[in-house]
Amino acid sequence: MLGYNQFRGVIVKRRWNWLVWLGFAMAILAAYSYLFLFIRFPITRDFPWVNLTLFLVAGCLLGVGLYRAFAQPGQYRGRVSGPILAVLSLGILGLFYYGTFYLARHLPPGENALRVGQPAPDFALADIDGRMVTLSQLRQGKRAVLLIFYRGYW
Amino acid sequence: MAISVDSPEESRKLCQSQGYTFPFLSDPNAATIRAYGVLHPHAGEDGHDIARPAEFLVDRTGTIRWENLTENLLARLRPETVSHVLDGMLADGAVRGK
């Protein structure tokens, strides 16, 4: 795109504002890398600090890119694409935050559960071979039994 | 062992794909899940009741000795936490070793 450079008074080609695009790409990476990489490791999954840091980097890149677009419009492009990419990046951050800080914590309170010291109710449930298994049977000859309730895959 | 509303077939697929060797039990109508107070109502497919993530350590007398009720689906129990708890209980004599 050709633009008017006020200092020189000549038509010059304005430079591609790659920072806003890099910032946007970083925001996508920040969200996707959690789903496909950082969710695998407890240290980066329990609290998504790596991904929030990547979002911060994305914000800095977008910030500098937007500053260039608006403070030096004669030299840099991005006065239209910059704000659009910034809003999209904010949207990605919003979705990421909603998923990890709201949806993932939207669980029934633990207070409903049986307490330590209470007897564990016996049960008879089918294992993967369809055989009935009871808790009392499982306890036989073991020092302890760990019951893991999980959401399942339905 | 692991308990969910999944069918034995579904659990079998999971065990085979992940190489789990401990028992997976099927609680399709969530009766046991409800008895332990860890029901997550309408959270499954088509609004089915499922279990919230929860772990209970039951000693040989059938008493709950320890439990873990996460408030965050993403923050799950780590195996080393359980072994640490078991070691502590063995030291206390709460759970006698074999």
Side-chain angles (χ1 to χ4, degrees):
Chain A
M1 188 194 285
L2 294 177
Y4 183 67
N5 185 314
Q6 293 180 334
F7 297 102
R8 294 185 195 155
V10 290
I11 303 291
V12 293
K13 194 168 187 291
R14 289 185 302 156
R15 277 190 275 174
W16 182 51
N17 197 342
W18 58 273
L19 278 175
V20 291
W21 289 94
L22 186 65
F24 178 60
M26 190 64 77
I28 294 173
L29 180 75
Y32 270 83
S33 62
Y34 186 74
L35 299 175
F36 295 106
L37 179 65
F38 295 112
I39 202 164
R40 296 187 197 174
F41 311 105
I43 197 155
T44 51
R45 178 185 59 216
D46 291 4
F47 183 81
W49 60 274
V50 173
N51 302 84
L52 292 178
T53 307
L54 289 175
F55 272 115
L56 186 67
V57 172
C60 292
L61 292 169
L62 278 159
V64 176
L66 282 174
Y67 176 79
R68 287 205 310 199
F70 285 91
Q72 300 160 290
Q75 286 188 53
Y76 288 101
R77 294 164 58 181
R79 270 187 299 172
V80 175
S81 60
I84 293 173
L85 294 174
V87 167
L88 287 175
S89 302
L90 265 180
I92 295 169
L93 172 64
L95 281 175
F96 181 78
Y97 190 87
Y98 178 72
T100 54
F101 287 87
Y102 178 76
L103 276 187
R105 291 166 202 230
H106 202 65
L107 286 173
E111 286 89 69
N112 303 338
L114 294 180
R115 297 262 149 257
V116 169
Q118 284 186 291
D122 203 0
F123 52 73
L125 298 172
D127 68 6
I128 59 171
D129 299 315
R131 283 183 304 231
M132 295 309 269
V133 175
T134 66
L135 177 61
S136 37
Q137 184 187 325
L138 289 164
R139 287 199 331 256
Q140 304 269 315
K142 301 212 177 58
R143 56 183 199 179
V145 173
L146 180 68
L147 303 178
I148 303 170
F149 290 89
Y150 69 107
R151 293 167 57 82
Y153 298 84
W154 324 311
Chain B
M1 59 245 26
I3 301 170
S4 77
V5 296
D6 282 351
S7 65
E9 295 76 46
E10 189 69 38
S11 300
R12 176 192 289 280
K13 279 188 237 159
L14 175 69
C15 291
Q16 281 170 353
S17 70
Q18 301 295 318
Y20 297 141
T21 54
F22 54 94
F24 273 66
L25 305 180
S26 185
D27 186 17
N29 53 17
T32 302
I33 292 166
R34 210 171 264 117
Y36 279 77
V38 292
L39 191 77
H40 192 168
H42 318 304
E45 206 172 35
D46 302 329
H48 279 112
D49 294 343
I50 60 168
R52 88 195 288 294
E55 294 85 21
F56 297 88
L57 198 61
V58 180
D59 71 8
R60 55 169 40 176
T61 70
T63 305
I64 298 170
R65 284 292 169 197
W66 176 87
E67 64 187 21
N68 178 55
L69 297 152
T70 184
E71 296 299 329
N72 181 357
L73 279 180
L74 298 166
R76 295 301 182 86
L77 179 63
R78 303 180 190 185
E80 56 268 29
T81 309
V82 180
S83 24
H84 185 75
V85 168
L86 264 179
D87 289 346
M89 287 187 355
L90 278 171
D92 292 347
V95 182
R96 280 175 298 142
K98 235 184 190 178

